[in-house]
Amino acid sequence: MSNVERTLSIIKPDAVERNLTQEIQNIFSKNNLKIVESKKIHITKEEAAEFYKVHQSKQFYSDLCSYLSSGPIVVMILEGENSVALNRKIMGATDPKNAEDNTIRKLYGLSIDKNSVHGSDSIENAKTEINFFFKD
Ligand code: UDP
Ligand code: MG
């Protein structure tokens, strides 16, 4: 049974800055996640605050929004079988120290905040997040 889904991925400023965009995109392709849309943008702190509003009560919220707006990011729609869960698996744990070998965060993440990538955590959130960056 086919279960093709779409998810939102973001290559965060720490990884864009280190020219890791192509390497990370290659990892998606190798894992059968097709990049159907991709754009490099630089968002404001206000836009980051809207995107990450589920975290507004957390102590790290303000720093997180400053960070995501600190430099260019690459936002992508990934499509494939079970893409939401598959992308989360390929990304690895939030804190790179706890991420499994060969995950993006283990390979490239610098710290729990500068962890190189974002990925939607549910099909519902994927829809909301895709609409946030790709309105048509
Ligand atoms: N984050 C942070 N400090 C923390 C937890 C999270 O700076 O203690 C940042 C980190 O960049 C993370 C983002 O907030 O990717 C969103 O947190 P979440 O728990 O949703 O992790 P994710 O879904 O990205 O693995
Ligand atoms: Mg999350």
Side-chain angles (χ1 to χ4, degrees), residues 112-131:
I112 192 167
D113 49 332
K114 295 182 175 167
N115 58 8
S116 302
V117 281
H118 167 84
S120 310
D121 62 3
S122 68
I123 293 177
E124 194 57 35
N125 287 338
K127 287 182 181 149
T128 308
E129 293 180 359
I130 286 169
N131 282 331

Side-chain angles (χ1 to χ4, degrees), residues 12 52 54-55 58-60 63-64 67 88 91-95 105 111-115 117-121:
K12 293 181 175 182
Y52 269 133
V54 294
H55 293 302
K58 312 268 173 62
Q59 47 86 21
F60 60 79
D63 287 346
L64 173 60
Y67 168 60
R88 294 289 305 191
M91 287 165 58
T94 306
D95 186 343
R105 284 167 164 173
S111 56
I112 192 167
D113 49 332
K114 295 182 175 167
N115 58 8
V117 281
H118 167 84
S120 310
D121 62 3

Side-chain angles (χ1 to χ4, degrees), residues 83-116:
S83 63
V84 173
L86 177 58
N87 181 43
R88 294 289 305 191
K89 184 172 158 63
I90 292 167
M91 287 165 58
T94 306
D95 186 343
K97 285 202 299 283
N98 301 328
E100 284 185 41
D101 283 353
N102 292 314
T103 59
I104 295 170
R105 284 167 164 173
K106 180 70 164 201
L107 290 168
Y108 305 122
L110 301 173
S111 56
I112 192 167
D113 49 332
K114 295 182 175 167
N115 58 8
S116 302

